[in-house]
Amino acid sequence: GEARNSFVIIGKENPESLLDLFHISNAYQLRIICEVAGEIVSPVYFSELSKMLAHSDGHVRSSAAMSIAKLNDPMAVEKLEELLVDGYEDVQEAAVEALSILGEWLKIDDIIGMLRSEDIALKKNAVRLLGKIHAEENVRDLGFALKDGSASVRKTAVEALALIGTEEAKKYLI
């Protein structure tokens, strides 16, 4: 609450002054620091947030993913893509959300390539990401995902096509 708001005010004045806070061991506090960094939105936090994407605590990884996306740095894309297969679904969802924020830096061909993976989580999250970024030019690829062997991939493809909502997308849903 109040301490968090104080850190945001201090960090907006002098972002470097909070860098040492990324070295505390308490995961709950680290998650808050990641969120604070996301509100301050300073490139000085990129390196620390990048390290936090590999933290042992899933909540810290999720917070770091959302905060690093706000920096709008294309260097974050590859690291966030790795989280699409994280062991925790909430981290995967944060990665999809973060990547959708960085949409202008995404290599769509790489995401389409993920649809051919054997990894169900990766396929499902690639489909989810295509829906979130309204990838109208990839509706056909999402149509193929409707025939996937995994029910969760098929369900996510329906949701993605519904999100895109174009006439072509709707044809696959009928």
Side-chain angles (χ1 to χ4, degrees):
E2 207 171 303
R4 185 180 188 280
N5 293 340
S6 298
F7 282 130
V8 171
I9 293 166
I10 293 165
K12 284 192 178 197
E13 285 288 314
N14 181 7
E16 290 86 357
S17 67
L18 301 183
L19 284 171
D20 285 343
L21 296 175
F22 283 97
H23 303 285
I24 56 178
S25 58
N26 180 301
Y28 176 75
Q29 292 172 338
L30 266 180
R31 181 173 76 189
I32 301 297
I33 295 306
C34 288
E35 291 171 4
V36 165
E39 288 184 44
I40 297 168
V41 192
S42 169
V44 302
Y45 300 128
F46 183 86
S47 176
E48 294 301 329
L49 287 170
S50 188
K51 291 177 201 162
M52 293 299 120
L53 293 174
H55 194 274
S56 60
D57 184 275
H59 297 294
V60 172
R61 292 194 303 277
S62 292
S63 295
M66 293 309 299
S67 294
I68 204 167
K70 293 175 184 172
L71 299 178
N72 197 28
D73 187 325
M75 298 292 288
V77 171
E78 202 172 311
K79 293 175 184 302
L80 288 167
E81 286 176 345
E82 292 171 15
L83 295 182
L84 293 175
V85 293
D86 191 274
Y88 293 98
E89 207 162 320
D90 60 331
V91 176
Q92 294 173 22
E93 288 171 12
V96 169
E97 186 63 38
L99 286 164
S100 72
I101 291 168
L102 294 169
E104 68 180 297
W105 306 113
L106 296 177
K107 294 185 181 97
I108 299 298
D109 289 345
D110 291 352
I111 298 164
I112 298 303
M114 294 174 192
L115 297 179
R116 292 187 287 280
S117 171
E118 292 297 311
D119 189 307
I120 291 172
L122 184 60
K123 276 196 283 194
K124 186 174 80 172
N125 289 317
V127 167
R128 187 180 289 154
L129 180 55
L130 290 169
K132 281 195 92 54
I133 63 170
H134 296 274
E136 293 178 25
E137 60 286 347
N138 300 100
V139 164
R140 217 165 132 247
D141 299 297
L142 290 170
F144 284 119
L146 289 172
K147 298 177 178 85
D148 194 84
S150 162
S152 68
V153 171
R154 292 191 305 269
K155 179 181 180 286
T156 306
V158 168
E159 294 164 358
L161 287 163
L163 255 180
I164 293 172
T166 61
E167 287 307 311
E168 186 188 358
K170 289 176 188 169
K171 285 178 191 168
Y172 286 98
L173 298 175
I174 297 169

